[in-house]
Amino acid sequence: MPTLNHYLVLSAVLFSIGTAGVFLRRNLITLLLSIEIMLNAVNLTFVAVGRYLGSVDGQIIVFFVMTVAAAEAAVGLAIVIALFRHRETLNPDAFTSLRW
Amino acid sequence: MDLIVFYILATVMVLASLLVVGQRNPMYSVLLLILSFMALSALYVQLDAPFMAVTQIIIYAGAIMVLFLFVVMLLNVPREEPAAPDPTRPFIGAGVRRLGLVLSLALVVELVWALRRLGSAPLGAEAGELSSVRAIGRVLFTEHAFAFEVTSVLILVAMVGAVVLARKEA
């Protein structure tokens, strides 16, 4: 049987991969995908700890995190489309001014 | 046996996530992330959370990732341009990015080290009520009913916001 620590370590590794993605990539879509990886790492922690404590609340929180992730993806991608329309690029380094 | 399944799923997840981050083509990134979410949903099954496993597939793989795929195809920018060094902006470039990689590695070492010190805590043998949709529904619609209703407002606001932002002359 995998113990709680197995899940927590896996979640830590995934969260760090997501962080590395946010630092390393120069593509707004990949940045959003990295954020999704981080959210899912946290979700795994919630479910594992909820299972460990014998509480349903872990799964409930994951449900809310998923809802927020859906809203974030919709708004984030809309912003990406609006930015791409202005600059024809997805490189975040190209967007340095607040208005143009 | 369970441990072997866990290690297989964990390997799939970590490799797929690494490839998501390492990929230059966002199309492959999205598809690999769906693979990673499939493995995660299998892990949820192993954790006696079948409802979460199904939700993971339906909402993440089915809705959110399709949205990403739509945008990737719509914008049609398959590749990331190589970085051009710019001396006027020292905080943008390869050196800073390497520092970010070091920070991420430090984060994983630190987290794993801290978790190793916890010792091993076995999960309870019996999942009991935890895996039933009935228990989740009861708690969701009694204790967390207010949060649930606020969620619907959040989705509405996100929908209106997305439409306004993506409009032609926003």
Side-chain angles (χ1 to χ4, degrees):
Chain A
M1 276 296 277
T3 60
L4 176 64
N5 285 57
H6 284 92
Y7 291 104
L8 293 184
V9 168
L10 172 63
S11 166
V13 170
L14 286 171
F15 190 88
S16 307
I17 292 174
T19 321
V22 171
F23 277 129
L24 296 175
R25 304 305 325 172
R26 287 184 313 281
N27 184 327
L28 283 174
I29 292 181
T30 321
L31 286 191
L32 285 174
L33 290 177
S34 303
I35 293 172
E36 299 290 335
I37 295 179
M38 289 157 83
L39 284 172
N40 275 284
V42 175
N43 281 354
L44 181 61
T45 308
F46 274 127
V47 173
V49 174
R51 172 76 173 76
Y52 171 66
L53 295 175
S55 153
V56 194
D57 286 347
Q59 297 181 44
I60 307 267
I61 293 175
V62 172
F63 181 80
F64 287 126
V65 171
M66 278 183 186
T67 323
V68 173
E72 170 248 317
V75 175
L77 288 171
I79 293 174
V80 167
I81 291 177
L83 285 176
F84 186 78
R85 212 173 265 149
H86 275 287
R87 286 286 169 95
E88 293 288 315
T89 176
L90 285 182
N91 188 346
D93 293 348
F95 307 109
T96 50
S97 53
L98 276 178
R99 56 177 303 165
W100 56 81
Chain B
M1 185 58 209
D2 272 353
L3 203 57
I4 298 170
V5 174
F6 171 82
Y7 277 123
I8 292 172
L9 292 173
T11 315
V12 169
M13 257 197 100
V14 170
L15 283 182
S17 304
L18 278 176
L19 285 172
V20 168
V21 171
Q23 201 53 246
R24 284 203 181 277
N25 188 337
M27 193 65 146
Y28 293 141
S29 288
V30 175
L31 294 176
L32 282 164
L33 195 56
I34 292 178
L35 175 68
S36 162
F37 287 167
M38 298 269 179
L40 181 60
S41 121
L43 279 177
Y44 285 162
V45 172
Q46 213 185 16
L47 277 168
D48 298 306
F51 178 68
M52 281 302 124
V54 174
T55 320
Q56 176 79 17
I57 294 288
I58 294 175
I59 295 187
Y60 260 113
I64 299 183
M65 286 302 123
V66 170
L67 195 62
F68 272 97
L69 270 185
F70 259 8
V71 172
V72 171
M73 289 175 172
L74 183 71
L75 298 185
N76 199 18
V77 270
R79 306 205 138 259
E80 197 174 304
E81 317 93 77
D86 185 353
T88 58
R89 291 188 294 180
F91 292 106
I92 297 171
V96 179
R97 218 162 271 127
R98 229 165 273 139
L99 185 65
L101 186 62
V102 172
L103 283 177
S104 315
L105 285 175
L107 180 66
V108 71
V109 169
E110 185 183 336
L111 283 174
V112 171
W113 176 77
L115 291 171
R116 276 290 148 211
R117 283 177 66 91
L118 269 178
S120 71
L123 299 168
E126 278 295 312
E129 272 280 272
L130 272 190
S131 57
S132 80
V133 181
R134 176 195 294 232
I136 295 172
R138 194 181 292 127
V139 176
L140 186 61
F141 290 109
T142 53
E143 277 178 54
H144 301 279
F146 179 69
F148 184 81
E149 295 302 330
V150 171
T151 298
S152 60
V153 178
L154 172 74
I155 293 286
L156 179 68
V157 170
M159 192 177 76
V160 173
V163 170
V164 169
L165 281 170
R167 221 175 29 181
K168 253 286 178 272
E169 60 283 272

